[in-house]
Amino acid sequence: MAQRTRTTSGEPRAHRPGRGPRLAAATAAAALTGGLLTAIAPPATAATSAPTAPTAPTAPTAGLPASDADFNNDGHADIATSAAFTYVGGKKHAGAVVVTYGKAGGTGRSVAYTQNSPGVPGSAEKGDIFGNDTAYGDFDGDGYDDLVASAAGEDVGSDKDGGMVTVLWGSASGLRGGTALKDPRPAQHDGFSEILQAGDFNGDGKDDLALATGTTAVVDVFRGGFTRAGRTGGHSTVKAPVHSGGDNGVMQLHSGDADGDGREDLIVNGYERDTPQGYHANFWIPGSPSGPRASRAQKLPAGIITDLGDTDRDGYEDVVIGNHWDSGIPGSARGGAVHIVHGAANGPAHGEREKFTQNTSGVPGSGEKGDNFGHEFDLGDINGDGNLDLVVGAPGETIDGVPDSGAVTVLYGAADGSGITGRGAKLLTQDTPGVPDSDEKHDFLGTDVHIDDLNGDGRGDVIAGAHGENGGNGAVYPLLAGADGTLRGTSGVYLSTAGLSASGTPRLGANFAD
C-alpha cells in the first residue's frame, strides 16, 4: 500500500489501480464467457522512443499502512467497492459504490451510493458506470476521509462520454453529498476520471488527486485544498513516457514514496515506447515541491503495479508489480508472478528485486496456466507483528476441478523485518473454513483484495472480492484476523446487503477504493 502522511491523525495508507469504461466493458464481456476479468490486455505493439536522482531518505519507519479509509473518523477502516455495472432506477450500467463501515465487532452497515443518492451531483443514467474507479483521501482537511468516484461514461451536456468525477464528502455519519470537479479539457468520448489515484505528490501534507483518461499520456493533478464549491489547491499536468493515441494511453496510476524524500511519487502504467513489442511498462515519476516530475521518470519491470510499501523497513517504499500473464511479457511465469522492486534513494529502478510465484518455496499450490496469480494484491500487517504482509489474488485459479473459482494467497513478512517470504503462506478459497460460501465455477475469488483494520484491533483484516459470485452479481468477503492467526468471516457483502438491483451483471467486488 502506498503510504501517506495524513493532515490529521493517523499513519500512512494505500492505493490501487484504476479501470476505465472501455476496459471495464471488455472485462464484463470476458467474464460472461467464462474468461477471467482482467483490467489490462496482453502485450500489444506500440511505437518507438523512450524516457534521476536522489534525496536523503526520511528516517526509517515500520512502513505500516495503519491509516485505512475512514469516512466517519471512528477509528475503524471502511471498505468501498464498485458495482459499476449495476442498474439504478432501471438504468443499465448506471453504477454504484457500496461502502461497508467498520466497527468494533468487524463490519457494520453497508450503504450504496449512486448518482441518485441525496446530494450527489448528476443523476443515474444508462452507461455512466459510476464508481468504476475510486480513490480516497482527506481532500478538504477536515479529518474525515472523502471518496472520489469516476463516472467515465457520463454525458456532460453535448459532450458524449465526456466523463465526470465526484468527491463524496466524509462526515461523522459517513459519506454525505458530493461535488463534481471540472474537466480541464472537455472532449467527446475522452472519459474524464477514467483512472484515479490519490497521493501527496508535493509533500505539503494535503492529499492531491491524479486523474487520467486512458486515451492519452497526460495525467491531470489537482492539488489538495478541495472545497465543496469545486475549487482545488491548483492544477498541473504530467506527460508520462507511455504510448498514446487511439485506445492507448495511461492504464494505471499508483502512488508511494519509493525514494524516501517525504513526497509521494506517481507510478504510471501503459505501453512502453522504446521496444517494438510495446509491453506493459511501469514508470516511476518522483514527487517534488511542484508535484510529479516527468523529466526524472525511470522505467520499472513490466506488469501492473498495484501496491507500494516498505516491506523491508529500510525507509524506502518498495514497488510491488503483478505480472499475471503466463508468458509473452518479460518476468512472466506460468500461472502468474509478483515482483517486488525495492525502493532506493535514487529511485526504485536501482533497487534489488524479488519474484514470487505459486512455485516459490513455501507458497501453496503450483503455477498453472490461467491462474492469474498477481492479478491483484495488497500490503498490510495481518498478524500485527510490525511487518508488512502481502495478500495476492489469483481469480483464475481452478480449485478441485472447479474452473475459475479463484483463490487468495497470504504471504507474510519475515519476523526479522527483512521482507516478504513464502514461509508459512496460506491459501484461501471459498471452501476454506472461515471463508463464506463455496467454490463455484467463475466466482473469480481474488478479483480484488485488500488489507484493512476493520475492527480496530491493530491487525489487518483481509477483504476479498469475487465479482463472478451468483452469476456475476458479485460479492465481498471481509475476513477478520484473529490473534491465533486465523482469518474468518461470518458472511459476505452482497447486492441485497446494500439494497441494489441484481439485474444484469453488477460485478460487486471488482474494484476496491485505494
Side-chain angles (χ1 to χ4, degrees):
M1 293 184 185
Q3 297 172 291
R4 273 210 279 186
T5 302
R6 302 296 304 283
T7 56
T8 57
S9 62
E11 296 177 23
R13 57 109 195 283
H15 307 296
R16 177 170 354 292
R19 295 171 178 77
R22 292 166 293 104
L23 300 175
T27 295
L32 287 173
T33 60
L36 171 67
L37 228 126
T38 79
I40 303 284
T45 302
T48 53
S49 175
T52 35
T55 329
T58 54
T61 64
L64 300 178
S67 184
D68 305 313
D70 188 0
F71 303 119
N72 54 7
N73 197 22
D74 66 351
H76 302 103
D78 306 319
I79 309 164
T81 183
S82 64
F85 298 104
T86 195
Y87 284 58
V88 178
K91 303 299 176 65
K92 182 180 180 180
H93 295 173
V97 176
V98 174
V99 174
T100 300
Y101 290 91
K103 66 175 186 177
T107 57
R109 62 194 173 108
S110 292
V111 181
Y113 297 90
T114 75
Q115 289 180 292
N116 285 350
S117 296
V120 177
S123 60
E125 298 167 318
K126 180 180 178 181
D128 282 349
I129 320 179
F130 178 76
N132 189 53
D133 197 21
T134 48
Y136 64 79
D138 184 5
F139 297 106
D140 59 356
D142 66 353
Y144 299 97
D145 274 327
D146 313 304
L147 181 70
V148 181
S150 70
E154 178 83 24
D155 294 340
V156 183
S158 60
D159 183 4
K160 186 170 178 57
D161 294 335
M164 178 178 178
V165 62
T166 301
V167 183
L168 305 179
W169 302 107
S171 75
S173 59
L175 296 176
R176 294 185 61 185
T179 300
L181 301 181
K182 186 177 180 181
D183 184 346
R185 287 178 308 283
Q188 292 278 319
H189 303 288
D190 71 345
F192 175 61
S193 84
E194 194 172 22
I195 302 161
L196 305 172
Q197 183 62 46
D200 181 7
F201 303 113
N202 57 6
D204 66 354
K206 299 177 182 178
D207 286 334
D208 310 317
L209 180 66
L211 306 91
T213 67
T215 57
T216 75
V218 175
V219 179
D220 288 288
V221 178
F222 291 100
R223 289 189 287 277
F226 290 47
T227 72
R228 282 163 170 72
R231 292 189 296 273
T232 70
H235 169 259
S236 61
T237 59
V238 180
K239 188 169 184 180
V242 298
H243 187 61
S244 65
D247 282 342
N248 291 321
V250 174
M251 294 184 174
Q252 307 280 340
L253 293 174
H254 309 276
S255 61
D257 186 9
D259 59 1
D261 67 353
R263 292 182 287 265
E264 285 202 88
D265 314 315
L266 184 67
I267 301 185
V268 180
N269 177 272
Y271 290 134
E272 66 177 359
R273 302 181 309 185
D274 54 338
T275 69
Q277 292 81 10
Y279 294 118
H280 279 283
N282 302 294
F283 292 89
W284 172 77
I285 302 177
S288 78
S290 59
R293 294 182 58 187
S295 61
R296 290 186 53 205
Q298 295 180 8
K299 184 178 173 182
L300 301 177
I304 304 170
I305 297 174
T306 58
D307 221 345
L308 292 94
D310 190 357
T311 63
D312 55 3
R313 304 178 65 174
D314 65 352
Y316 304 101
E317 290 190 11
D318 309 313
V319 183
V320 187
I321 298 174
N323 192 326
H324 62 251
W325 295 279
D326 295 298
S327 61
I329 291 184
S332 60
R334 184 179 177 87
V338 172
H339 298 259
I340 298 178
V341 182
H342 288 265
N346 53 355
H350 302 278
E352 296 180 0
R353 301 179 187 179
E354 299 169 276
K355 181 178 180 179
F356 294 89
T357 72
Q358 290 176 292
N359 293 325
T360 298
S361 177
V363 178
S366 60
E368 300 165 319
K369 187 175 181 180
D371 282 348
N372 283 265
F373 180 81
H375 175 262
E376 281 289 1
F377 41 78
D378 203 27
L379 288 164
D381 184 11
I382 297 171
N383 54 14
D385 69 350
N387 299 298
L388 285 178
D389 308 313
L390 178 66
V391 58
V392 183
E397 183 81 34
T398 293
I399 303 294
D400 294 332
V402 182
D404 298 330
S405 50
V408 172
T409 301
V410 180
L411 304 173
Y412 291 96
D416 62 3
S418 59
I420 303 298
T421 175
R423 292 191 298 275
K426 293 180 179 178
L427 181 71
L428 304 175
T429 76
Q430 287 181 284
D431 282 341
T432 300
V435 181
D437 298 333
S438 59
D439 294 326
E440 297 170 314
K441 183 178 180 180
H442 304 327
D443 276 350
F444 301 117
L445 180 71
T447 307
D448 204 349
V449 290
H450 239 240
I451 302 174
D452 298 299
D453 186 4
L454 300 171
N455 56 7
D457 65 358
R459 292 185 294 271
D461 306 307
V462 174
I463 301 98
H467 74 181
E469 182 69 37
N470 295 328
N473 287 348
V476 175
Y477 301 106
L479 308 175
L480 299 183
D484 60 354
T486 58
L487 291 164
R488 290 190 173 276
T490 55
S491 64
V493 177
Y494 308 96
L495 294 171
S496 58
T497 312
L500 287 173
S501 169
S503 297
T505 52
R507 302 294 177 195
L508 178 68
N511 192 24
F512 297 152
D514 303 301

